[in-house]
């Protein structure tokens, strides 16, 4: 790969990185090496021998599990950990011993080898892909400073303490301390999408003392600073360390560090010192372990297989004892013509017959069970891949089942953990509405005064009069343009404010082609709106702002920027226009601005508030705008005090805040803006459907609280009719406990104070300890919003059960400001104590740990690169496809798998029990009741396809009805269709059927003669009759179980019966006997028996006695205790298909809650914008483009925040956890 990694490759480049648990230590423990825990990292720049003595990890990464030598042993070891595989291996060994075996060894060997090799090939190809991606990442090249010169080195050879040079658009090689850069003030711009999902730029700044070295190779080579810092950890938002240089100590924090996984943007070059490499980097530390996921049915099957082994051993013991008794009592009579071996005794005979019966009765757990399960899962995965209704044409993305082993678990989901940005929202901001001087703009009304819904077909405002307008900006209310162009003063002041009061950086490549780089997407949206309405922000210097107002260029003198921060929640700017008039422009959150307005604005404030409530009801993000005229003398005096405060050594922040407070009062209200953060299509409907299916949805987002709440409302997750929405935002553990307890007591006043934890055991041999917290009932619906600070306390040992109890009582839980690791911890908490199936869905690298932690991980292939998709089990392009994945594919897969298992155990138990009854009639001699060929072909040919047909095509109701009645989903969550109870019922049913299938043919054949007087009561004729009855009954039972007939099912059932008769007649023919005499002893049996009417009457009677009770029982059950499926199916017979639901415009919600400040959550750039050294570049060179695609709607420069709903080219994705999350705390 070339040295410059350009953005288009960006998505894939970090792929490998996140899939890695630190596998490097995999073999450490095996070799007996003790891992020392690192307390502190200490290294020296440019001193490899010194740094190597600490044995820090180098920069190579390893995510693959196997290599050439370890593949076979490790893979076989993993496969034989599956109980059934080990059991079949044991059987095969038994079948090779001639004294025991009454069946040939190939009946077990062939299927076992097939299964093992299929799985091994699948594992090998997965691992090869991992090797490839590791190799690709490890072999990327970077410039490293070695022995005083820059050399091109592979990434994997980079060591801690090396100095490396990065260029624009390159990936950051390892975690680095920034030394110097090409930009003024030693700034660099990085994009952190791989780490926290944010596509806008972050700014990092080097220490001045290292920045002075610039790109002087000699200075850098002579740099010998010593760094002491924290050991490797997974906190993306914090870094503590110190640099010792020439006897001085400088402190290092997160702003001086570039993390692996970031991309350098807009910066020609920079130099950095490697702090952490490879597995120690924060990216790798955050990647979470890859867990081998198994479904609950897998776990249940393991337990059932154990029970079956126990039962098998019991049966064989009974038969062996029977053999001993028979040998002593009856066996001596036969020794005349069946002489025994000399040393043989009854005990030895019993011992051998025990093992012989183990071989004969092994069909209770046939290996074909495992093969069939894999085939069914594969088939159901293909349905997901092929589903056209989950294909997204705009980005040409089909749904993809990346794991084939988890399908039926999709039908049992109880909790969904979703990311917000890019999963629920598109992360695209649009300027939708505004209110200026009491008049609202942006809505359309028809002649009768009714609100018209705005769609893509609605006529747009024509901005062609404005040469500098942004062609991608769309607005539909023509009256606003007319107001501005007619010379309305308030409207002009409104847009002038938007064009001046911000920290956006403009970039003009060609004359008139403007690109804005904003700190948050909504800042960009507001400046773009002003630009289109004729107030174009053109350029800025530290002392001035140039704007083009309705075609006229105006230069404003910039006197002060009163910057935004989380406490102020507002931003102001003081400018002098060309006429010398001084004005302060301010924009901010409504509550904050309202407190500072002049009393004369009260009337206007009421009207504006009404509009703001409407906007909040639509889920829009609002900002209020105000201004104030200043007089010259006051301003001079204020500037002096401002200068003193800003250079003060102590209490600088407080003094500045007081000054800002003093000047920002008695403001005049202009109006308010409403920006829409578009939701993805169909999100509210999907959430409503999933809630009806009794699935609980938790949103875990790195975004700030107001944004998350707003989206909660617009998604229908939080509803006005909810009884109460609790907000937990305390800053100490005690206060968090109190808030959680108060919420719990309100929801469930008579609940116990202490949580009841039910302890139990589960798993194989009941080795695993299990703890479960019961669900508690509440009256009405509640919501819970908890922020990252409080969540950190709540996840600690002594508080987590309190959090779990309170959260699980709520219908909706929203956690904001969450780090990637906290997302995973929340998922694990629910997994551990709820014993419910969980699903995590996200689209960015910061969702990877959560996707890996949940039972099922779903990745959305959106705008944030491919990280989430690569770690996921299922992926698709839009959140709304989740309802189809669960309510249709998931439910069907679960239903099919349960039906398959019940029927499969039934047919095999029945088959095996007949052997058991026969033992009492053959002196317990381990003779088989059926022909040996029938035993070999029973599971492989005669019954394989019909049951596969049912398990691949069966549906209780079709997809439309599944959507119409989401309640159909709930039996899966409660595991109603296949459980230990269902298994016991299945065994009892088999026991009854096998008694009929053995004793009716036995009694009917007893002493019977053919119509020509010859005998039919011989062993071979009986074997043929028994197996024919068995097969016909099994097929009728299958037909009763099938709800949905297709041509394929009919063909399989008819075909397998036809195949049975054809094969039987062939095998029992003279020709086969003459060619292979010893293999086909049943000569002529078929034609002698099957032409007798009494044989067919026996088959009919047996079938009737087996099937009638089943039909009667099912009929009575539906009458007395119908399941939800029965009710819907009855309804379905009476009604026509439901039509697809119409798209209705959403109802208007008037809300008193309002979105918070729509700026970035990090400190603003006011200082930077006005700093003297900023923009002191050589005038010749224009800055390189921020994004190579100029059409990105995101020209941004620091955390993004708000988003909203229409299907647009989805371009970009925003705020996320991690770095962003902390910036605000």
């Amino acid at each position: 790969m070339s040295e410059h990694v350009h953005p288009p490759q960006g998505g894939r480049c970090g792929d490998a990185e996140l899939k890695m648990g630190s596998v490097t230590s995999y073999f450490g423990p095996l070799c007996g090496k003790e891992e020392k825990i690192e307390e502190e990292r200490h290294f020296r720049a440019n001193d490899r021998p010194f740094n190597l003595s600490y044995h820090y990890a180098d920069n190579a990464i390893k995510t693959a599990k196997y290599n050439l030598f370890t593949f076979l042993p490790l893979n076989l070891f993993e496969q034989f950990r599956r109980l059934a595989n080990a059991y079949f291996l044991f059987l095969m060994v038994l079948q090779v011993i001639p004294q025991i075996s009454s069946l040939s060894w190939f009946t077990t060997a062939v299927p076992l080898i097939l299964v093992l090799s299929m799985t091994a090939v699948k594992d090998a190809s997965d691992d090869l892909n991992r090797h490839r991606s590791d190799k690709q990442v490890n072999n990327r090249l970077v410039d490293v400073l070695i022995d005083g010169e820059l050399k091109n080195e592979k990434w994997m050879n980079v060591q801690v303490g090396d100095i490396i040079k990065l260029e624009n658009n390159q990936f950051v090689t390892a975690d680095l301390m920034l030394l110097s850069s090409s930009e003024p003030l030693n700034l660099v711009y990085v994009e952190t999408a791989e780490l926290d999902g944010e596509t806008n730029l972050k700014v990092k700044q080097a220490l001045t003392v290292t920045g002075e070295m610039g790109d002087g190779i000699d200075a850098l080579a002579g740099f010998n600073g010593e760094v002491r810092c924290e050991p490797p950890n997974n906190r993306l938002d914090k870094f503590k360390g110190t640099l010792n240089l020439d006897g001085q100590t400088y402190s290092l924090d997160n702003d001086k560090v570039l993390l692996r996984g970031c991309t350098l943007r807009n910066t020609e070059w920079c130099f950095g010192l490697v702090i952490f490499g490879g597995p120690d980097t924060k990216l790798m530390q955050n990647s979470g372990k890859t867990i081998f996921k198994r479904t609950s049915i897998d776990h249940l099957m393991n337990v059932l297989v154990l029970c079956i082994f126990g039962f098998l051993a019991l049966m064989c013991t009974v038969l062996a004892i029977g053999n001993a008794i028979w040998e002593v009592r009856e066996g001596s009579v036969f020794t005349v013509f069946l002489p025994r071996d000399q040393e043989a005794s009854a005990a030895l005979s019993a011992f051998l017959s025990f093992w012989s019966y183990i071989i004969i009765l092994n069909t209770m757990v046939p290996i074909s069970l495992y093969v069939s399960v894999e085939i069914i899962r594969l088939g159901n995965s293909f349905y997901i891949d092929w589903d056209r209704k989950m294909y997204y044409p705009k980005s040409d993305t089909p749904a993809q089942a990346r794991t084939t082993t988890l399908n039926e678990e999709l039908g049992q989901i109880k909790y969904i953990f979703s990311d917000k940005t890019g999963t629920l929202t598109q992360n695209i901001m649009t300027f939708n509405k505004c209110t200026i001087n009491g008049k609202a703009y942006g809505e359309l009304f028809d002649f009768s005064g009714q609100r018209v819904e705005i769609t893509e077909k609605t006529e747009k405002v024509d901005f062609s009069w404005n040469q500098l307008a942004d062609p991608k900006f769309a607005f539909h209310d023509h009256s606003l343009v007319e107001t501005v162009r007619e010379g309305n003063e308030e409207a002009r002041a409104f847009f002038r404010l938007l064009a001046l009061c911000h920290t956006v950086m403009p970039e003009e490549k060609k004359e008139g082609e403007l690109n804005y780089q904003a700190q948050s997407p909504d800042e960009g949206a507001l400046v773009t709106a002003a630009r289109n309405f004729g107030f174009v922000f053109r350029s800025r210097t530290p002392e001035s702002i140039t704007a083009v107002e309705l075609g006229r260029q105006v230069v404003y003198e910039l006197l002060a920027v009163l910057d935004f921060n989380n406490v102020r929640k507002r931003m102001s700017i003081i400018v002098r226009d060309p006429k010398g008039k001084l004005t302060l422009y301010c924009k901010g959150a409504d509550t904050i601005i309202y407190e500072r307005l002049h009393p004369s604005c009260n009337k206007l404030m009421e009207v504006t508030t009404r509009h703001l409530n409407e906007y909040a009801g639509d889920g829009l993000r609002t900002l209020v705008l105000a201004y104030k005229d200043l007089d010259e003398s006051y301003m001079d005096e204020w500037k002096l005090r401002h200068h003193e405060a800003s250079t003060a050594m102590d209490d600088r922040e407080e003094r500045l805040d007081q000054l800002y407070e003093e000047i920002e009062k008695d403001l005049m209200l202009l109006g308010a803006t409403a920006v829409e953060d578009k939701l993805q299509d169909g999100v509210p409907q999907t959430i409503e459907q999933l809630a009806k299916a009794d699935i609980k949805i938790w949103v875990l987002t790195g975004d700030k609280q107001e944004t998350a709440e707003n989206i909660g409302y617009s998604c229908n997750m939080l509803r006005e009719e909810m009884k109460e929405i609790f907000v937990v935002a305390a800053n100490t553990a005690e206060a968090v406990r109190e808030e959680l307890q108060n919420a719990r007591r309100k929801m469930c006043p008579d609940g116990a104070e202490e949580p009841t934890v039910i302890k139990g055991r589960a798993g194989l041999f009941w080795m695993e300890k299990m703890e479960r917290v019961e669900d508690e009932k509440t009256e009405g619906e509640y919501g819970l919003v908890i922020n990252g600070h409080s969540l950190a306390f709540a996840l600690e040992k002594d508080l987590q059960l309190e959090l779990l109890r309170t959260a699980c009582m709520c219908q909706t839980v929203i956690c904001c400001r969450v780090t990637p690791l906290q997302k995973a911890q929340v998922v694990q908490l629910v997994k551990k104590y709820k014993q419910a199936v969980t699903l995590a869905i996200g689209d960015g690298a910061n969702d990877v740990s959560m996707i890996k932690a949940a039972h099922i991980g779903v990745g959305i292939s959106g705008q944030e690169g491919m990280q989430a998709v690569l770690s996921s089990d299922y992926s698709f392009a839009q959140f709304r496809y989740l309802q189809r994945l669960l309510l249709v594919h998931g439910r069907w897969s679960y239903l099919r798998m349960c039906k398959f298992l019940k029927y499969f155990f039934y047919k095999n138990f029945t088959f095996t029990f007949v052997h058991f009854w026969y033992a009492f009639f053959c002196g317990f001699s381990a003779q088989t009741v059926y022909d040996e060929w029938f035993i070999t072909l029973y599971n492989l040919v005669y019954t394989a396809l019909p049951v596969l047909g049912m398990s691949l095509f069966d549906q209780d109701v079709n997809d439309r009805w599944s959507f119409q009645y989401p309640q159909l989903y709930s039996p899966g969550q409660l595991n109603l269709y296949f459980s230990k109870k269902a298994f016991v019922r299945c065994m009892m049913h088999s026991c009854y059927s096998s008694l009929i299938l053995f004793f009716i043919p036995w009694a009917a054949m007893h002493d019977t003669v053919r119509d020509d007087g010859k005998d039919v009561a011989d062993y071979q004729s009986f074997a043929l009759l028994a197996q024919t009855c068995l097969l016909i009954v099994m097929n009728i039972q299958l037909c009763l179980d099938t709800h949905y007939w297709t041509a394929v099912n009919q063909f399989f059932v008819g075909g397998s019966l036809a195949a049975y008769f054809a094969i039987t007649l062939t095998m029992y023919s003279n020709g086969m006997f003459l060619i292979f005499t010893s293999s086909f002893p049943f000569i002529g049996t078929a034609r002698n028996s099957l032409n007798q009417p009494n044989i067919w009457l026996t088959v009919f009677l047996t079938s009737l006695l087996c099937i009638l009770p089943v039909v009667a029982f099912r009929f009575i059950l539906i009458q007395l205790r119908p399941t939800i499926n029965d009710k819907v199916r009855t309804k379905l017979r009476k009604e026509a298909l439901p039509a697809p639901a119409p798209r209705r415009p959403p109802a208007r919600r008037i809300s008193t809650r309002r979105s918070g400040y729509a700026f970035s959550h990090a400190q603003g750039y006011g200082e930077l914008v006005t700093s003297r050294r900023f923009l002191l570049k050589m005038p010749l060179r224009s800055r390189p483009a921020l994004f190579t695609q100029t059409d990105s709607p995101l020209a941004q420069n620091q955390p993004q925040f708000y988003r909203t709903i229409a299907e647009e080219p989805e371009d970009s994705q925003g705020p996320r956890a991690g770095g962003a999350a902390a910036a605000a705390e």
Side-chain angles (χ1 to χ4, degrees), residues 46-54:
N46 291 320
D47 190 346
R48 275 198 174 183
F50 174 80
N51 301 331
L52 284 172
S53 64
Y54 287 95

Side-chain angles (χ1 to χ4, degrees), residues 718-912:
L718 299 175
R719 293 178 287 280
E720 294 284 338
E721 61 270 17
M722 279 186 164
K723 270 199 170 173
E724 192 167 343
I725 289 156
F726 302 103
V727 177
V728 178
N731 283 330
T732 64
E734 273 319 299
V736 172
R737 180 191 300 274
E738 203 171 305
E739 287 186 8
L740 288 171
Q741 281 174 345
N742 291 344
R744 195 193 72 228
R745 289 177 193 134
K746 262 192 199 161
M747 289 188 279
C748 187
D750 35 358
E753 272 306 298
E754 285 306 307
T756 40
V757 180
I758 298 164
K759 297 204 166 158
R761 290 198 168 264
L764 272 188
F765 305 114
W766 286 262
M767 299 284 274
E768 297 166 28
K769 282 188 181 155
M770 200 178 79
E771 296 178 290
R772 195 170 87 246
V773 177
E774 286 292 305
D775 281 343
E776 295 168 78
K777 291 274 171 285
T778 56
E779 292 297 315
E781 289 193 339
Y782 295 90
L784 175 73
V785 179
I786 179 167
N787 71 18
H789 252 338
S790 309
L791 190 65
F793 291 118
L795 286 171
E796 283 169 12
K797 264 282 178 282
D798 50 340
L799 264 181
Q800 47 177 298
L801 285 180
E802 199 59 64
L803 168 71
L804 189 75
R805 277 181 80 189
T806 309
C808 289
M809 287 182 187
C810 300
Q811 189 59 39
T812 299
V813 180
I814 296 179
C815 308
C816 6
R817 287 261 168 264
V818 192
T819 64
L821 206 68
Q822 280 176 331
K823 289 186 179 188
Q825 286 169 329
V826 172
V827 175
Q828 305 237 300
L829 180 67
V830 174
K831 256 172 85 171
K832 181 176 175 188
Y833 288 109
K834 280 294 171 186
Q835 306 300 323
V837 184
T838 58
L839 176 144
I841 175 166
D843 69 326
N846 56 330
D847 303 316
V848 168
S849 49
M850 157 172 96
I851 284 172
K852 285 182 176 174
H855 291 101
I856 288 183
V858 177
I860 287 193
S861 34
Q863 285 121 357
E864 294 195 13
M866 295 293 287
Q867 293 286 276
V869 171
L870 286 164
S871 314
S872 66
D873 307 307
Y874 298 89
S875 69
F876 41 72
Q878 294 275 293
F879 182 82
R880 63 170 185 270
Y881 299 147
L882 184 64
Q883 58 175 331
R884 192 168 173 84
L885 184 73
L886 301 186
L887 301 183
V888 178
H889 292 288
R891 208 175 61 78
W892 283 349
S893 295
Y894 172 67
L895 220 83
R896 290 166 181 162
M897 185 56 78
C898 294
K899 263 193 183 176
F900 165 77
L901 290 172
K902 282 198 283 203
Y903 175 77
F904 202 92
F905 282 130
Y906 167 73
K907 79 179 174 74
N908 278 67
F909 279 143
T910 311
F911 175 86
T912 312

Side-chain angles (χ1 to χ4, degrees), residues 1015-1026:
D1015 217 354
V1016 264
D1018 60 289
Y1019 161 69
Q1020 292 193 344
S1021 304
F1022 172 69
L1024 178 72
L1025 176 60

Side-chain angles (χ1 to χ4, degrees), residues 657-699:
D657 275 347
Q658 277 169 359
L659 276 171
Y660 291 171
E661 281 292 332
E662 177 194 315
I663 199 164
E664 291 172 321
K665 59 173 189 261
D666 293 337
L667 303 171
M668 303 301 290
L669 181 58
L670 274 173
T673 61
V675 171
E676 188 183 4
D677 172 8
K678 302 216 160 194
L679 279 177
Q680 286 194 7
D681 263 17
V683 167
Q685 295 84 336
T686 302
I687 283 172
E688 201 177 330
Q689 282 282 65
L690 295 174
K692 281 185 194 157
D694 199 27
I695 297 173
K696 294 193 168 169
I697 301 183
W698 294 25
V699 174

Side-chain angles (χ1 to χ4, degrees), residues 33 244 303 349 638 649 764 841 853:
K33 272 196 310 202
N244 279 356
V303 172
S349 159
W638 186 87
M649 285 309 284
L764 272 188
I841 175 166

